[in-house]
Structures are given as C-alpha cells and as structure tokens.
Amino acid sequence: ASDVYKRQKLKGSLHMNTRLVLQAQKRDKDAFVTLIGLYRESMYQIAYAILKNNEDAADAMQDTILICWEKIDTLRHARYFKTWITRILINRCNRLYSQRSRTTDLNEGTFSSISPDPAARMEWQEMMQQLTDNQRIVVELYYAQQFKIHEIADILDITPSAVKNRLHTARKVLKQYISSNS
C-alpha cells in the first residue's frame, strides 16, 4: 500500500509541476517562482558539484533562472522542465568554469541528498575523490538527484550507453575503493 501511495503522490506532484510550467509559460511570475523554489536545492547541489565554489554556484543559478524565465516559452513539453533547467544549469556552469579558467575540483560536493549524516557525507566525498569529473557528475545526477539514465543523457548531451558506461565504471572504482578500505 505504501508504494501505491508514493506513486500517487509522485504522480500528483508531477501533475502540479506540469501545471505550474504551463502557467509560467503564460508569464505567470508566481508560478515560475514556485517552480524555481521546488528545484532550488538540487540546482545548487549540481552547480556546486561542478564549480566547487558557493559564489560561482549562486552566479550559475542566477543566470540559469534568468535564461529559463526568458526562454520558458521554448520548452516544448512541460513534463521535462526539470531536465531542461538542469541542462541549462550545467551549460552555464561549464561556461563559467571555462571563462574563469579555474581547476574544477568536485571532491567536496554537497551530496546532502545521499545522507543528512555529516560523517556519511564526508565518507561519500572521500569516495567521490576516486572518480573522474565525468564519472562524478553522472553519479551526482543519478544517485543524489535521482535523474533517469535517459534524462542524464539529455542533460549532458551524451548517449544513454555513455551514461551507463560511466556509472558502471564508477561503481567498479567505488567497489574497489570500499573493499580496499574495509
């Protein structure tokens, strides 16, 4: 019964989000602000995981929000709003990264979605240090942000098999790391 309730609740929230997107596309500022509020935390986690800096993450989010407001009428399917905004955010983060010519270090991403326990987060961050940047962003999107394989492929503009390969390789690296530290 609990799974049925969760599916109904998720379906209801997806319907509400779709309705908010459609209202925002009609230039309803309140609907847009509500939408951004729903995704603000996951946007920050993604931006911080890429840029490794609070100020840069905030800049990327602000740019993304502005771009989304200006271009929301170009979104073809309201149900893909989260994927669309995440792709814009990642593109902004990559652009900021390139413009500022900084070395990206994703080793201390926030990953609070994985565990609220500070010790577990530290352990997670230590494990993430074992991964390449490409593996880390896929792991963050898949496990912490709970995107599906095809959504990650769309966001990163790679094939679903590339996402699966990166996840597979990351899992092997993490499994080896865990077994060597047990």
Side-chain angles (χ1 to χ4, degrees):
S2 142
D3 286 342
V4 171
Y5 174 74
K6 287 179 185 176
R7 281 194 300 262
Q8 287 174 340
K9 186 176 178 183
L10 179 62
K11 189 175 181 180
S13 68
L14 290 175
H15 178 68
M16 181 189 80
N17 292 356
T18 300
R19 199 176 55 219
L20 285 170
V21 172
L22 293 173
Q23 289 175 307
Q25 286 180 316
K26 294 177 184 172
R27 296 295 174 199
D28 181 334
K29 290 179 185 175
D30 292 333
F32 185 76
V33 168
T34 301
L35 269 173
I36 296 303
L38 293 172
Y39 299 111
R40 182 176 304 275
E41 184 177 333
S42 67
M43 288 173 64
Y44 173 78
Q45 290 174 352
I46 292 165
Y48 188 85
I50 294 169
L51 297 169
K52 187 68 182 95
N53 176 297
N54 287 323
E55 292 79 22
D56 290 345
D59 287 348
M61 285 178 59
Q62 188 174 23
D63 291 349
T64 299
I65 292 167
L66 182 61
I67 290 166
C68 287
W69 174 249
E70 291 172 351
K71 299 192 183 258
I72 194 160
D73 57 325
T74 66
L75 177 62
R76 291 187 199 144
H77 302 287
R79 68 180 179 263
Y80 296 126
F81 178 80
K82 184 177 181 184
T83 302
W84 180 72
I85 195 170
T86 301
R87 187 175 195 172
I88 292 170
L89 176 65
I90 289 172
N91 288 337
R92 280 307 305 153
C93 289
N94 289 337
R95 188 168 290 129
L96 279 172
Y97 173 79
S98 295
Q99 287 173 350
R100 296 186 180 163
S101 300
R102 292 187 187 165
T103 303
T104 301
D105 179 9
L106 303 179
N107 297 339
E108 296 180 27
T110 56
F111 305 111
S112 62
S113 300
I114 298 294
S115 175
D117 176 33
R121 278 199 310 264
M122 278 181 52
E123 186 176 340
W124 176 256
Q125 291 167 359
E126 189 174 310
M127 288 181 1
M128 291 299 100
Q129 292 175 0
Q130 310 309 308
L131 303 175
T132 66
D133 291 348
N134 286 335
Q135 292 167 342
R136 265 186 233 124
I137 192 65
V138 169
V139 167
E140 167 70 16
L141 291 171
Y142 187 77
Y143 289 107
Q145 303 304 321
Q146 300 183 350
F147 279 99
K148 295 178 178 129
I149 299 283
H150 68 85
E151 293 172 324
I152 297 169
D154 287 343
I155 290 166
L156 298 177
D157 200 24
I158 59 177
T159 64
S161 61
V163 174
K164 289 177 188 176
N165 286 338
R166 289 179 190 181
L167 280 172
H168 177 74
T169 306
R171 287 181 192 122
K172 284 174 43 176
V173 169
L174 294 174
K175 184 176 181 181
Q176 183 178 12
Y177 173 78
I178 289 168
S179 65
S180 69
N181 288 309
S182 298

